[in-house]
Amino acid sequence: MNIIFVEPSFPANQRRFVHALAAVGANVYGIGETEEGHLDAEVLGALRGYYRVGNVTDVDQMVSAVRYFQDKVWIDALEAVVESHTMTAAQVREACGIPGTSVRTTWLCRDKPSMKEALRQAGVPTAASAAIDSAAEARDFAEREGYPLILKPRAGAGAQGTVRVDSDAELEQALQAYGREGATSIAIEEFVEGHEGFYDTISLDGRVVHDWATHYYPNVLEAMRHRWISPQFITTNRIDEPGNAFYAEVRELGRRVIEALGIETSATHMEWFYGPKGLRFSEIGCRPPGVGAWDLYSAANDVDVYREWAHVITHRAPEQQMRRTYAAGIVALRPDRDGSITGYSGIDEIQARYGEWVIDGHFPPVGHGTQGVEAGYMANAWVRVRHPDFDTTRAMLDDIGRTIHVHAG
């Protein structure tokens, strides 16, 4: 197969997808914004060709680049795995006659109110929501649904730009903040109480061939508000346990999401909440998850998930099945203040206790600038571990979060 991959070198983990496609026998052609002479030698070695554009989200530039390759070889697929690239990729596929995720499906996976309406019509439980274009519409929604409420950009990934409001005053403040940022339309939805996690898949022709269930501790909004929290997420190895009704329900709803949104052959990322109102699905992405989740899945199963994705794309079949050998998780370690890293404590102690179960870790050097707590799970220091028992994995991550301290000044 001849496959075009969008932006093969940035961010850095993009090369994992390129190498995986090449490793399973695809001819990979890259389109990106980096000068070819500045590409990493390993990336260049995995590519059969490269075309530079000024902006990979500009449809006209991307169409020209794709047609450059189509004049030379038959192009079987065009793949984009970054959220902000997916709509352009879908539009270019349709313009150039390349099969793959459609514009309609991409729109439903990016526009949150439209997404939730499609899910509700398919019987997938989700929060009450609406697209609002004015403060009056927001006030009407608040009066109808009550507080707390969640406000977020209509198209975005993860918790970026997401705000919880608990009163009329907080709603007005949030609307003013969105206005200052130039937002003309935002999504508003009911706050769903409960535990938060995500369900990820690789699908082939609308059928799930690989899947994983992962839990947040604590929920994302809480984790991104408080410096003292060392947040974590853990992928479970219990998803295949017979008689586990919860994961069976997650899988069934995930299957219905894929059908409702028209997802065919793609990675997916689906956020969910489980609480007093039962299981509710939230954000749906027609792309791989971020923050190294596939690295955890690979470590948990002793299977290269990037290669599995590439094998499904290229050969239309999985190469291996998930082994569910381990649960695996990451804990984010926040600096005690903003500034520059001055040192660490507790690393040797943790290494002595859990060394055999540590996958890897990241500790920015002394003098490196810190990032705010809202920047996410891999913004500063972090450690990833795995263990055959889910509860033990979680206890290790808790202990690491309490023991390792990131000092800044």
Side-chain angles (χ1 to χ4, degrees):
M1 288 186 73
N2 299 314
I3 299 175
I4 293 175
F5 188 83
V6 179
E7 198 55 271
S9 66
F10 183 82
N13 73 320
Q14 291 287 88
R15 65 195 64 191
R16 297 287 301 274
F17 298 94
V18 174
H19 290 158
L21 287 167
V24 301
N27 299 317
V28 190
Y29 299 86
I31 301 176
E33 297 174 8
T34 303
E35 292 281 359
E36 184 171 351
H38 294 161
L39 291 178
D40 181 275
E42 290 188 12
V43 173
L44 275 177
L47 296 175
R48 291 295 186 95
Y50 181 75
Y51 192 104
R52 180 181 177 271
V53 295
N55 183 351
V56 294
T57 63
D58 184 290
V59 174
D60 290 338
Q61 292 183 45
M62 291 294 291
V63 166
S64 296
V66 168
R67 287 180 175 158
Y68 167 82
F69 288 121
Q70 286 181 316
D71 286 343
K72 301 177 183 303
V73 297
W74 177 265
I75 296 299
D76 297 284
L78 169 65
E79 296 298 326
V81 296
V82 174
E83 177 78 18
S84 60
H85 300 165
T86 56
M87 179 54 76
T88 302
Q91 292 170 323
V92 172
R93 283 189 204 102
E94 295 196 357
C96 297
I98 300 171
T101 304
S102 68
V103 170
R104 175 186 180 274
T105 292
T106 305
W107 168 257
L108 290 176
C109 289
R110 284 183 56 77
D111 185 73
K112 295 170 177 59
S114 301
M115 172 198 305
K116 287 184 168 59
E117 180 59 30
L119 296 183
R120 282 192 289 268
Q121 290 180 5
V124 177
T126 187
S129 64
I132 58 170
D133 301 309
S134 68
E137 291 177 350
R139 296 184 195 107
D140 288 344
F141 187 91
E143 183 175 352
R144 183 170 64 251
E145 300 295 336
Y147 294 103
L149 297 171
I150 298 294
L151 279 65
K152 57 183 71 175
R154 289 188 66 170
Q160 185 178 17
T162 300
V163 178
R164 169 178 166 163
V165 297
D166 294 277
S167 66
D168 290 344
E170 290 184 5
L171 176 62
E172 296 300 330
Q173 290 174 359
L175 293 172
Q176 290 172 14
Y178 280 116
R180 288 193 295 271
E181 294 170 3
T184 57
S185 182
I186 61 175
I188 188 169
E189 63 186 52
E190 162 195 19
F191 174 77
V192 178
E193 181 183 356
H195 171 61
E196 185 179 5
F198 49 97
Y199 176 62
D200 292 335
T201 77
I202 297 174
S203 66
L204 172 64
D205 295 332
R207 176 176 60 89
V208 174
V209 295
H210 289 306
D211 64 350
W212 307 268
T214 305
H215 299 261
Y216 287 114
Y217 299 102
N219 289 1
V220 175
L221 279 181
E222 183 181 356
M224 299 308 155
R225 284 183 172 186
H226 304 292
R227 180 182 297 278
W228 62 268
I229 294 175
S230 295
Q232 56 192 255
F233 59 80
I234 312 171
T235 189
T236 185
N237 56 346
R238 297 173 176 171
I239 190 172
D240 291 334
E241 288 181 352
N244 193 313
F246 173 74
Y247 293 125
E249 185 180 5
V250 169
R251 280 174 149 168
E252 172 57 20
L253 290 182
R255 183 194 65 77
R256 286 159 61 185
V257 166
I258 288 171
E259 181 180 357
L261 301 184
I263 298 170
E264 295 289 336
T265 300
S266 177
T268 72
H269 176 66
M270 313 182 198
E271 303 269 348
W272 51 258
F273 289 87
Y274 182 75
K277 297 181 180 180
L279 185 63
R280 296 285 186 273
F281 269 48
S282 180
E283 306 298 300
I284 312 300
C286 193
R287 56 167 175 79
V291 286
W294 273 15
D295 298 334
L296 286 178
Y297 302 163
S298 298
N301 293 277
D302 288 322
V303 171
D304 184 341
V305 171
Y306 297 88
R307 183 183 174 95
E308 282 302 309
W309 166 83
H311 202 274
V312 169
I313 297 294
T314 305
H315 299 289
R316 303 193 60 75
E319 186 175 37
Q320 300 185 64
Q321 293 304 311
M322 295 299 115
R323 298 170 183 164
R324 317 295 187 193
T325 311
Y326 305 98
I330 181 174
V331 57
L333 304 169
R334 269 78 175 267
D336 53 12
R337 69 197 70 191
D338 288 327
S340 299
I341 300 296
T342 60
Y344 300 90
S345 57
I347 297 176
D348 292 342
E349 186 179 343
I350 288 299
Q351 183 65 27
R353 278 206 287 272
Y354 306 124
E356 66 177 308
W357 306 117
V358 173
I359 301 168
D360 56 7
H362 173 69
F363 297 92
V366 170
H368 193 278
T370 66
Q371 295 191 62
V373 297
E374 71 282 354
Y377 293 83
M378 304 185 89
N380 294 289
W382 47 263
V383 174
R384 297 191 284 207
V385 301
R386 67 180 184 177
H387 190 275
D389 181 69
F390 179 90
D391 295 322
T392 303
T393 304
R394 186 178 176 194
M396 286 194 297
L397 292 169
D398 286 343
D399 191 23
I400 293 167
R402 289 190 299 264
T403 304
I404 297 181
H405 297 282
V406 184
H407 307 290

